[in-house]
Amino acid sequence: MLDDFLTRAALAGVGVAIATAPLGCFVVWRRMAYFGDATAHAAILGVALSLTLSTSIFGGVLVVALLMALAVSSLSGKGYAVDTLLGVLAHSALAFGLVAVSFLQGVRIDLMAYLFGDVLAVTRTDLAVIWGGAGLVLALTAWRWSALLTATLNPDLAYASNIDPKREQLILTVALALVVAVAIKVVGALLIGALLVIPAATARPFARTPEAMAVMAAALGAGAALGGLWAAFHFDTPTGPTMVCVAAVLFAASNAVALLRRAV
Amino acid sequence: MSLISLEHLSVRLGGNTVLQDVNFTMEPGEIVTIVGPNGSGKSTMLRSIIGALTPDHGRVKLQDGLRIGYVPQSLAIDSTLPMPVHRFMALPIRVPRAKIVDALEAAGVAGLADRAMTDLSGGQFQRVLLARALLGDPHLLILDEATQGLDQPGSAAFYRQIEDVRARLGCGILMVSHELHVVMSASDRVICLNGHVCCEGRPEIVAEAPAYRALFGSGTQGALALYRHEHTHTHDDDHDHDHVHDHKHDREHSH
């Protein structure tokens, strides 16, 4: 079954959607969409470094994404507004990454594959990395779920319950870097942010609890991945961007339905 | 053993010394109220106790296994976060629904379990916060300006409920309040804070203390201090207070 590249692509897309859903909810609740972007843009630098050092792409991206996420989270609140920090760090990392890649002569690499993903080229090993990473991210968020929610609601409320909000922030940061490293093959560095934010935002009008929102986001993300794959195959369009397009259409539909329900 | 004790506590925030050499202990079952002008470090003191701030000098000692119920000054729930009352009550520790329903009823907000937190009125919201803080059966209940945003009858009813809580659960209660006339009569002890502990003791004694009068004027039991106070109390650190200010309309800042 795994011999079929379409099956592998579908499994990869669903795996990434499930991992990004709960994290995407926190990204939306904590208003840290910028954070996902900064981490993802740094991934290109990770790609360049791992090609230079001939190490695994996954490892290189993970390390650079982690460093980036830690840099943003420790620098925020120290002089610059976070959106300014994002502008500096995310785009510099992307620029340095693109420049670094251009030095890599000899190895002909398809930059597009890392910017927009290449889910049709997913191998069995990639699949193992994606599902392994997704499992780890899910386990991490499930384990810290209540503490993360409390810290998101109010840091002082967390402290009073013996939860350290800074530790929870760190756990989120690590999980986010992991998701970026896992998802780069599927949607690419430029569109990971979309996969984090759009399904969560789409689920919001219909969710009455945080848990319901995370589960719905996972289902919507998986739907967007499968729908995008199908559409890309039929219309011969790039797969990663098509997935994001389907997610965006679902978002628009969700909000239209919510508006109609309110009007009735 | 004391519930909490602060030993020579000093806290600096953003280059300003907010608290300096504060000593304070609290016994089980006591109701203690902290009063003081804006920027006097009241919230800072509470936040040091719950561990949200690290002292620069001195230390905060908590009784072993102390359970704290905390009612924050304000709680803004982001509109993207769907949070029904029953889920909020069960954070961070899962609680059976029956217990939540009982707790809401005891707090005078029965039947709200399935409402969204963002749909509650100010008074309902504060009562839900209190009910949540009490769910964990705390040894110490901490309230930071818990009646902010409530009207006079609303806050009077809220404080009656606090007294009822002590009578029922026997927990210690530490609160910050501006509503001196309501709070002082309900307190066993009042701490008058202005960067350091100016004076402390039984409410009627503190109300007569020169340091307290210097801060709050010599109004009737402090009631007048709500509206106007002049203070000539100066410190060598840079606490700037308006010399006459209208507390009713001032927002509380904790630096």
Side-chain angles (χ1 to χ4, degrees):
Chain A
M1 183 186 90
L2 291 179
D3 290 340
D4 182 18
F5 74 99
L6 269 184
T7 313
R8 288 196 303 270
L11 284 173
V14 170
V16 167
I18 290 174
T20 47
L23 273 188
C25 287
F26 280 109
V27 165
V28 168
W29 296 333
R30 298 168 76 106
R31 304 190 170 207
M32 48 192 273
Y34 68 92
F35 205 89
D37 280 340
T39 312
H41 288 180
I44 288 297
L45 190 57
V47 168
L49 288 179
S50 33
L51 287 173
T52 316
L53 304 172
S54 328
T55 57
S56 87
I57 301 277
F58 174 77
V61 169
L62 183 62
V63 168
V64 174
L66 202 56
L67 288 177
M68 184 65 166
L70 291 175
V72 176
S73 96
S74 62
L75 283 175
S76 58
K78 288 186 187 148
Y80 291 108
V82 274
D83 59 338
T84 308
L85 268 178
L86 161 78
V88 175
L89 289 177
H91 298 112
S92 321
L94 186 58
F96 275 110
L98 294 174
V99 169
V101 167
S102 76
F103 280 120
L104 292 171
Q105 288 160 353
V107 217
R108 287 185 58 83
I109 61 155
D110 182 6
L111 195 56
M112 289 289 276
Y114 295 105
L115 287 175
F116 298 110
D118 190 8
V119 73
L120 296 179
V122 162
T123 63
R124 280 164 182 257
T125 318
D126 290 335
L127 211 50
V129 168
I130 288 172
W131 277 89
L136 206 58
V137 167
L138 279 186
L140 207 59
T141 37
W143 171 49
R144 301 308 305 167
W145 186 259
S146 275
L148 277 168
L149 263 184
T150 311
T152 300
L153 216 50
N154 182 291
D156 285 353
L157 224 50
Y159 277 119
S161 301
N162 280 324
I163 296 164
D164 183 355
K166 290 194 209 100
R167 194 173 81 128
E168 303 308 322
Q169 161 94 31
L170 187 66
I171 289 170
L172 262 190
T173 304
V174 171
L176 215 52
L178 203 56
V179 151
V180 166
V182 155
I184 192 167
K185 185 90 186 180
V186 177
V187 283
L190 290 184
L191 293 174
I192 292 168
L195 218 55
L196 279 169
V197 173
I198 300 178
T202 309
R204 174 62 188 104
F206 303 99
R208 291 181 52 87
T209 63
E211 291 77 14
M213 185 161 152
V215 171
M216 283 160 115
L220 286 162
L226 294 177
L229 195 57
W230 177 85
F233 196 66
H234 273 262
F235 303 117
D236 193 24
T237 48
T239 320
T242 311
M243 286 178 177
V244 175
C245 288
V246 174
V249 170
L250 289 175
F251 174 78
S254 145
N255 278 279
V257 172
L259 268 177
L260 281 176
R261 274 204 320 192
R262 228 173 297 152
V264 174
Chain B
M1 187 196 165
S2 307
L3 287 180
I4 47 178
S5 67
L6 309 184
E7 295 168 1
H8 304 290
L9 180 75
S10 295
V11 180
R12 292 174 65 83
L13 292 176
N16 295 325
T17 302
V18 182
L19 289 177
Q20 190 152 31
D21 200 28
V22 170
N23 291 290
F24 170 69
T25 56
M26 199 174 151
E27 303 306 320
E30 233 187 337
I31 298 188
V32 179
T33 301
I34 306 171
V35 299
N38 288 337
S40 60
K42 303 187 296 291
S43 292
T44 303
M45 185 166 150
L46 295 190
R47 297 187 68 224
S48 307
I49 293 171
I50 61 170
L53 294 173
T54 316
D56 292 276
H57 296 287
R59 56 195 201 131
V60 177
K61 281 207 310 205
L62 305 180
Q63 193 186 66
D64 279 344
L66 183 77
R67 286 193 302 271
I68 295 178
Y70 178 67
V71 179
Q73 193 176 97
S74 63
L75 183 61
I77 296 183
D78 198 283
S79 61
T80 57
L81 175 58
M83 185 58 72
V85 170
H86 69 85
R87 187 68 190 89
F88 175 73
M89 295 280 285
L91 272 179
I93 299 155
R94 293 270 182 184
V95 184
R97 187 170 169 105
K99 210 178 159 192
I100 291 173
V101 170
D102 288 349
L104 288 174
E105 201 180 318
V109 279
L112 291 185
D114 291 312
R115 287 269 284 279
M117 288 295 287
T118 41
D119 291 344
L120 301 181
S121 74
Q124 288 171 334
F125 198 95
Q126 289 304 323
R127 280 164 184 266
V128 169
L129 283 182
L130 178 63
R132 178 192 167 274
L134 294 176
L135 255 190
D137 196 15
H139 305 114
L140 173 64
L141 181 64
I142 296 182
L143 302 114
D144 190 358
E145 299 265 357
T147 56
Q148 205 175 42
L150 297 189
D151 57 13
Q152 282 260 308
S155 62
F158 190 83
Y159 284 116
R160 273 199 302 279
Q161 209 183 345
I162 300 290
E163 285 180 69
D164 177 53
V165 161
R166 202 247 313 241
R168 220 173 56 231
L169 303 178
C171 57
I173 298 174
L174 176 63
M175 55 189 169
V176 157
S177 184
H178 266 154
E179 288 163 299
L180 307 181
H181 56 303
V182 188
V183 164
M184 282 181 81
S185 62
S187 309
D188 299 319
R189 192 149 57 98
V190 172
I191 309 285
C192 180
L193 198 68
N194 193 18
H196 60 258
V197 177
C198 299
C199 55
E200 65 173 305
R202 297 188 56 80
E204 59 275 15
I205 291 168
V206 168
E208 296 302 316
Y212 176 83
R213 295 200 158 195
L215 278 176
F216 289 102
S218 46
T220 52
Q221 292 289 309
L224 268 178
L226 273 174
Y227 304 103
R228 238 153 237 289
H229 74 256
E230 298 172 42
H231 65 87
T232 49
H233 205 80
T234 50
H235 293 278
D236 42 4
D237 52 43
D238 49 0
H239 282 164
D240 278 330
H241 303 298
D242 291 340
H243 278 254
V244 176
H245 50 176
D246 191 341
H247 267 289
K248 267 291 178 195
H249 300 285
D250 267 2
R251 294 279 308 245
E252 174 64 14
H253 295 292
S254 54
H255 277 246

